[in-house]
Structures are given as structure tokens and as C-alpha cells.
Amino acid sequence: MYDVVVKKFTFAISSPDEFLFLTCRRQRVKIGEVLSEWLEMAAGMPQGSFLGPLTFIILTDDLRANCLTHKFIDDTTLTEIIKKNHTAYMQSFVDDLAQQAAQHNMNVNKKKTKEMLIGPITNNPPQQLTLSGVTVDRVDTFKLLGVHVSADLKWTQHVNAISAKAASRIYFLKQLKRTGAQISDLMHFYTAIVRPVLEYASPVWHSSLTVAQTEMLESLQKRALRIIYDDGNYELLLILAHIDSLETRREHLTSRFFKRQVLDNNSVLHYLLPPKRNLDVIDKLRHAKLYELAKMRTDRFKKSFIPYCLATYQ
């Protein structure tokens, strides 16, 4: 049995004088024909530039913790896998990373730093983390790169959040319908503004959805199509709109992501796969799988991304 502790950190540049791209910058405000005085910028990153994101990635690239670390722009997630009856060392990892950030003239945003415990460790939790003398909030769920991750590894919070967001956008679809917008324009609004909310990062959570959650998401597309086409049978509306059900689209997106971003030997996610089976053995089998399926003791693990894809798409 293994226990996982997940941490989230957000960094912001505090002193960018080392970069010529960021020095000697000024800004002022214009209201009508009135201009304010110029203000010298002591920090910040020009938005909309090509060098902005690249500069920040270079700046954070040297940050290294002695545990599993995932970084995406200004979000850094530290993960520690704690074996049963073993001691957690996350506090030392946090202290080390905070020290590295200070050496790079960066500040760790204490308000956005969260701690989450996953697994049986929650029955005997370690002492709460501190960051520069401030106690880190321990939460049951947090939003990481647009996805609501819960300590119980269920997707109830995420499905509820995206459903509420999509429902609010469907309201504007109804308003457009009342103005007399054409069906083609209404469909474009749905596929460009509403549906992406319901599909964002779907390969992560699609395979673990319950039947009720699948139906909840599908009902939102039903509602949108019935607004656009003035009611009707859902299967018929899918044909009229030339689109697939959300479940079919998520299945396709998951398959495509797995084959392009995981099975590819050059992918950074390829390491998640188990070792390949003996080619001399599988060549003699009719329906052999290249990767052997791991032993799965729980239904939750069976429905997680890698086991599900290995069983379904290889």
C-alpha cells in the first residue's frame, strides 16, 4: 500500500533585473486625451510576447526538489509517495525548493500554496507543512491547470464545476436564439464556446466517470441542441448537427492522446508505460498486446488513464 502527498506551488518573478528584456520598462495610463506620468516598472513580464513564457520557463527550470516534480509555467507540483509506516520528508523538500526560489530572486506565493493528502495516510496524517513560517492550508480538493483534483480521486467536484460553467454559457446561447441568430451561428457558438468547457483535459478523467456523471454532461449537450433546433429527439439532433455525443468524442480524444502522447517512444509520458512483453512470445499469439496489463486490485485503478488505455487501445 502506498500513500501519496501532493503539493502545489505558484511562483512569481520579484526581481527581473538580470534580463535585459525586462529592464528599463515604463508604463502610463491614457483616459480619453489625458495621459498620466510615466512609471518605471520594477518587476513584471510584458504580456503577449514570444519571449515572455520562454524567459519564465528558463528561470524556473533550475528549481529541483528531491522528489517527483511537475512544472508548468508558474505552477510547480511536488509529489511524495510514502510507504506504509514510513516517515514523510515533504517538509524538507518544501524548504529546499523555497531556498532555491529565493536564490533565483523568486517568491513562493504562500496564499496559493496548498497541501493535499491522498490515500490511507489521511487516517494518520503527518504534521502540516510550513512555508517560510506560515502554515500551508491542507485541502481536500484543488484546481490544478484547470482540473479539479480531489483527495478521494473522484471527479464529482470537477464534473459539477464544468457543468455549472457550461450551463451559464448555454444561457447566452438561449439569448442568441431569441435575437434570431441562424442555426449555423448558434452551432458555431456551441462548438467554440460551450463544448470545449465540457471536454477540457477529458483524457484525464473520462475513463473514471460514473454513469450518472456521464449522463449529467450529456444532458447539457441535449439542452443546447434542443435550444438550437427547437426540441426534438437527441439522436436525430446529433445527425442534424453533424456531431457526436460527448461520450463518443471523449473516447476519441482519449484514444488519440494515448496513441500520440504516450505510446510514442519520443513522448515525455512514455515512461508511464510498463515494460514491453517478449516479442518472441507475442508474435505467436493471435491477439497479443505489446504491453502487459498490471495487476489491478481496485476498480479505481482499473479505470485510471494508463490501465484503461492499455486495456482498450493497444
Side-chain angles (χ1 to χ4, degrees), residues 22-128:
L22 301 176
T23 59
C24 303
R25 306 194 70 89
R26 301 187 301 167
Q27 73 174 26
R28 63 179 179 177
V29 178
K30 180 179 180 181
I31 301 178
E33 300 299 325
V34 181
L35 292 171
S36 68
E37 297 294 330
W38 285 105
L39 176 66
E40 294 288 340
M41 301 299 296
M45 181 74 71
Q47 296 186 7
S49 64
F50 291 102
L51 286 179
L54 179 60
T55 302
F56 201 93
I57 290 173
I58 294 174
L59 184 64
T60 60
D61 184 63
D62 288 339
L63 297 179
R64 294 286 188 272
N66 293 322
C67 62
L68 188 62
T69 306
H70 295 92
K71 292 182 287 187
F72 184 82
I73 311 299
D74 63 340
D75 281 299
T76 298
T77 302
L78 305 184
T79 304
E80 180 184 14
I81 301 176
I82 308 172
K83 295 183 179 180
K84 193 173 183 178
N85 299 324
H86 282 61
T87 304
Y89 297 98
M90 184 55 71
Q91 184 62 65
S92 62
F93 300 149
V94 171
D95 294 338
D96 185 39
L97 196 67
Q99 182 179 4
Q100 294 180 41
Q103 293 174 351
H104 285 71
N105 295 319
M106 304 178 71
N107 293 326
V108 179
N109 192 325
K110 302 179 184 64
K111 293 183 179 180
K112 291 186 177 181
T113 300
K114 306 297 179 183
E115 174 188 17
M116 189 171 74
L117 307 180
I118 300 176
I121 192 173
T122 56
N123 298 326
N124 186 24
Q127 188 175 359
Q128 272 188 272

Side-chain angles (χ1 to χ4, degrees), residues 21 30 39-40 45 59 61 66 84 92 97 110 116 148 153 155 178 183 202 206 218 238 272 278 281 301 311:
F21 174 60
K30 180 179 180 181
L39 176 66
E40 294 288 340
M45 181 74 71
L59 184 64
D61 184 63
N66 293 322
K84 193 173 183 178
S92 62
L97 196 67
K110 302 179 184 64
M116 189 171 74
H148 296 265
L153 298 180
W155 297 105
R178 290 175 179 174
I183 289 180
S202 60
H206 163 65
E218 207 69 49
L238 291 176
L272 296 173
N278 190 324
V281 175
F301 179 58

Side-chain angles (χ1 to χ4, degrees), residues 92-190:
S92 62
F93 300 149
V94 171
D95 294 338
D96 185 39
L97 196 67
Q99 182 179 4
Q100 294 180 41
Q103 293 174 351
H104 285 71
N105 295 319
M106 304 178 71
N107 293 326
V108 179
N109 192 325
K110 302 179 184 64
K111 293 183 179 180
K112 291 186 177 181
T113 300
K114 306 297 179 183
E115 174 188 17
M116 189 171 74
L117 307 180
I118 300 176
I121 192 173
T122 56
N123 298 326
N124 186 24
Q127 188 175 359
Q128 272 188 272
L129 297 176
T130 59
L131 179 60
S132 302
V134 178
T135 301
V136 175
D137 292 336
R138 182 172 288 173
V139 298
D140 293 325
T141 181
F142 67 86
K143 189 176 181 181
L144 178 62
L145 302 179
V147 178
H148 296 265
V149 181
S150 299
D152 58 5
L153 298 180
K154 296 181 179 180
W155 297 105
T156 303
Q157 177 73 17
H158 182 70
V159 171
N160 290 341
I162 63 176
S163 295
K165 187 175 182 180
S168 65
R169 298 190 179 192
I170 290 177
Y171 169 78
F172 291 103
L173 179 66
K174 185 181 295 185
Q175 297 300 102
L176 288 173
K177 175 71 172 182
R178 290 175 179 174
T179 63
Q182 297 182 359
I183 289 180
S184 59
D185 294 330
L186 295 175
M187 278 302 304
H188 181 74
F189 179 87
Y190 171 72

Side-chain angles (χ1 to χ4, degrees), residues 260-310:
R260 292 183 179 180
Q261 305 300 332
V262 181
L263 284 183
D264 187 350
N265 293 330
N266 298 320
S267 170
V268 295
L269 299 178
H270 188 73
Y271 78 96
L272 296 173
L273 297 174
K276 293 182 179 179
R277 300 174 65 186
N278 190 324
L279 294 179
D280 294 334
V281 175
I282 63 176
D283 283 345
K284 301 176 182 178
L285 302 178
R286 181 175 299 178
H287 301 293
K289 294 183 181 296
L290 182 59
Y291 296 93
E292 186 173 358
L293 299 180
K295 295 181 179 180
M296 294 169 280
R297 294 182 297 176
T298 64
D299 192 55
R300 178 182 299 173
F301 179 58
K302 181 179 180 180
K303 292 182 178 180
S304 60
F305 175 68
I306 293 296
Y308 174 82
C309 291
L310 286 175

